[in-house]
């Protein structure tokens, strides 16, 4: 049997981190078993539908480097098939027309409540003949849910989950305006797509009991279910904006690498002993449903940074250079080819210090800046009277240096510190760093200076000097 999983997001406008994890688990399970992951957009909510929202999901998957098999399927476009099944269920005696008006349903609920009975639909049309149908009213189609016994979901994560059949109502599968309900659409699509494994968030577990009623009524094979516990924020409440970024795009923009994100999301709810660093190749080899935890996972930003730093160190220098240039371009820094090659030369050091690409880009500024650049407030503070004096002295000394090497530069700075700042090297380096970067952090300054070369260093000092006045 070929294992077929599916990724069926609703296009909400962005890709939530929980949705990304669901995609990853389905993808890994398919890859692990040499199966397929199909991709369906659940785009039936036309009021909310926009092509941009669909693109956000597609771009999220692409950024995460998760591919899918076959064409993207639109649930909306499959409505005729959903409708066909609704009518087939009626013909089979498994579903029926219900002609209740909203007012009638309200009255029924109020009455049930007053009598202390459950307020769900009381099945008044279940056994009535459609010949009794009031004229001019459009019916909904409701499924006949079992009246007695237990309804059981065998879940590969949660185990056996049971509810009494009494808790199930004869829910609507086709609305009176002819629009199929979500419950029906999902089952028909999963069946037609040959889905064998449904791996999704446990917020859908309740739907599963209902969906199984449809499977059973049609005599279709129920897929294997694995419902993933929620993702919580660090404080144990449901992950939300309050905790920080919740969408995949935000993580991309904060400078996380896709492979780091995959590793981190994998560990968010799935485990293999104490292993934290699990690259994708290894994950494909190991991934199974047994490793999914039963309790909700907490998002841990520090761990994500740790994992990201690991993958940044492993990443190819030219790739990192490209990503860094793109980040700095957004802040108006257009790097020249020469500047890019200087940065690439120092990439081993740059990447050893960075937890995110944004941090790396901040450090790489020193190589990529052009003739004019901005100074942040902290760096301007370094360019006070004393700072300017330091710059003047260094400028004159650098100018006469013959070997502009890190070693010689360091010697010179130490000498300057001795006579200007009681040997405190930091007092000399801070204004120099501020002058060269417009910031107060940088990678090893002396090595960076050597890479930049004397001309650039001198002209930056001159530029900074003017900004300070
Ligand atoms: N469209 C649903 C969602 O985005 C997923 C439904 C499912 O997995 O069955 O939550």
């Amino acid at each position: 049997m070929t294992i077929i999983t599916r990724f069926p997001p609703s296009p909400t406008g962005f890709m939530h981190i929980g949705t990304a994890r669901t995609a990853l688990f389905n993808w890994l399970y398919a890859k692990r078993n040499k199966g397929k992951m199909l991709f369906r957009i659940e785009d039936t909510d036309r009021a909310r539908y926009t092509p941009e929202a669909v693109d956000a999901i597609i771009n999220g998957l692409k950024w995460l480097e998760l591919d899918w098999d076959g064409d993207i399927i639109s649930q909306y476009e499959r409505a005729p098939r959903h409708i066909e099944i609704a009518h087939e269920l009626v013909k089979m005696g498994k579903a029926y027309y219900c002609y209740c008006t909203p007012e009638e349903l309200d009255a029924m609920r109020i009455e049930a409540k007053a009598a202390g009975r459950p307020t769900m639909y009381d099945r008044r049309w279940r056994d009535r003949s459609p010949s009794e149908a009031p004229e001019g009213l459009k019916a909904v189609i409701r499924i006949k849910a079992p009246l007695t016994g237990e309804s059981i979901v065998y879940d590969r994560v949660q185990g056996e989950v049971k509810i009494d059949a009494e808790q199930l109502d004869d829910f609507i599968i086709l609305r009176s305006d002819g629009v199929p309900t979500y419950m029906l659409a999902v089952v028909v699509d999963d069946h037609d797509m040959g889905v064998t494994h449904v791996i999704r968030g446990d917020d859908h577990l309740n739907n599963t009991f209902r969906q199984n009623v449809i499977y059973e009524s049609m005599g279709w094979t129920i897929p294997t279910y694995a419902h993933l516990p929620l993702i919580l924020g660090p404080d144990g409440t449901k992950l939300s904006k309050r905790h920080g970024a919740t969408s995949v795009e935000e993580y991309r923009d904060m400078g996380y690498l896709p492979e780091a994100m995959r590793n981190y999301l994998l560990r968010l709810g799935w485990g293999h002993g104490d292993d934290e660093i699990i690259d994708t190749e290894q994950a494909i080899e190991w991934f199974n449903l047994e490793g999914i935890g039963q309790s909700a996972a907490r998002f841990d930003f520090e761990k994500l940074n740790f994992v990201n730093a690991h993958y940044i160190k492993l990443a190819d220098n030219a790739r990192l250079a490209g990503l860094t240039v793109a980040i700095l371009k957004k802040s108006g820094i257009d790097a020249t080819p020469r500047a890019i090659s200087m940065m690439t030369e120092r990439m081993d050091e740059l990447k050893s210090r960075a937890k995110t690409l944004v941090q790396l880009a901040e450090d790489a500024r020193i190589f990529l800046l052009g003739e004019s650049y901005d100074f942040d407030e902290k760096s301007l503070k370094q360019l006070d009277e004393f700072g300017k004096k330091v710059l003047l002295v260094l400028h004159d000394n650098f100018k006469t240096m013959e070997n502009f090497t890190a070693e010689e530069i360091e010697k010179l700075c130490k000498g300057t510190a001795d006579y200007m700042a009681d040997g405190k090297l930091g007092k000399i380096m801070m204004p120099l760093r501020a002058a060269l970067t417009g910031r107060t952090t940088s990678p090893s300054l002396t090595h960076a200076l050597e890479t930049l070369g004397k001309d650039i260093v001198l002209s930056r000092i001159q530029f900074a000097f003017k900004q300070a006045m």
Side-chain angles (χ1 to χ4, degrees), residues 6 8-10 42 182 186 200 204:
R6 38 56 131 200
S10 309
E42 304 215 310
Y182 166 72
V186 169
R200 62 185 173 194
H204 287 286

Side-chain angles (χ1 to χ4, degrees), residues 6-12 19 22 26 40-43 57 75 182 186-187 190 198-201 203-204 207-208 211 225 227:
R6 38 56 131 200
F7 176 55
S10 309
T12 52
T19 307
T22 302
N26 278 285
R40 172 174 82 230
I41 300 274
E42 304 215 310
D43 51 358
I57 302 272
Q75 186 159 67
Y182 166 72
V186 169
V187 173
D190 282 348
V198 169
I199 305 169
R200 62 185 173 194
D203 46 337
H204 287 286
N207 293 338
T208 309
Q211 289 166 7
Y225 291 109
H227 283 94

Side-chain angles (χ1 to χ4, degrees), residues 17 20-21 24-25 27-28 63-66 256-272 274-284 286-287 297-300 303-312 314:
I17 214 74
R21 183 187 62 165
L24 175 69
F25 283 20
W27 183 85
L28 283 173
W63 180 72
L64 284 165
E65 297 161 331
L66 302 178
Y256 293 93
L257 287 173
E259 61 268 40
M261 225 47 216
R262 289 196 299 271
N263 186 151
Y264 182 70
L265 289 174
L266 170 68
R267 288 288 296 109
L268 208 53
W270 183 87
H272 184 273
D274 290 333
D275 293 312
E276 287 300 346
I277 297 295
I278 305 172
D279 67 19
T280 301
E281 210 176 307
Q282 184 67 78
I284 291 174
W286 281 346
F287 189 77
R298 283 189 195 215
F299 205 94
D300 179 340
K303 206 181 265 179
L304 172 61
N305 282 338
F306 163 79
V307 171
N308 201 43
H310 170 85
Y311 286 97
I312 287 178
L314 290 184

Side-chain angles (χ1 to χ4, degrees), residues 390 409-410 413 425-434 445-446:
V390 170
I409 294 166
E410 178 151 351
C413 290
L425 188 59
K427 291 225 161 165
I428 303 301
M429 296 312 242
M430 286 310 282
L432 182 59
R433 176 174 290 115
L445 201 52
T446 50

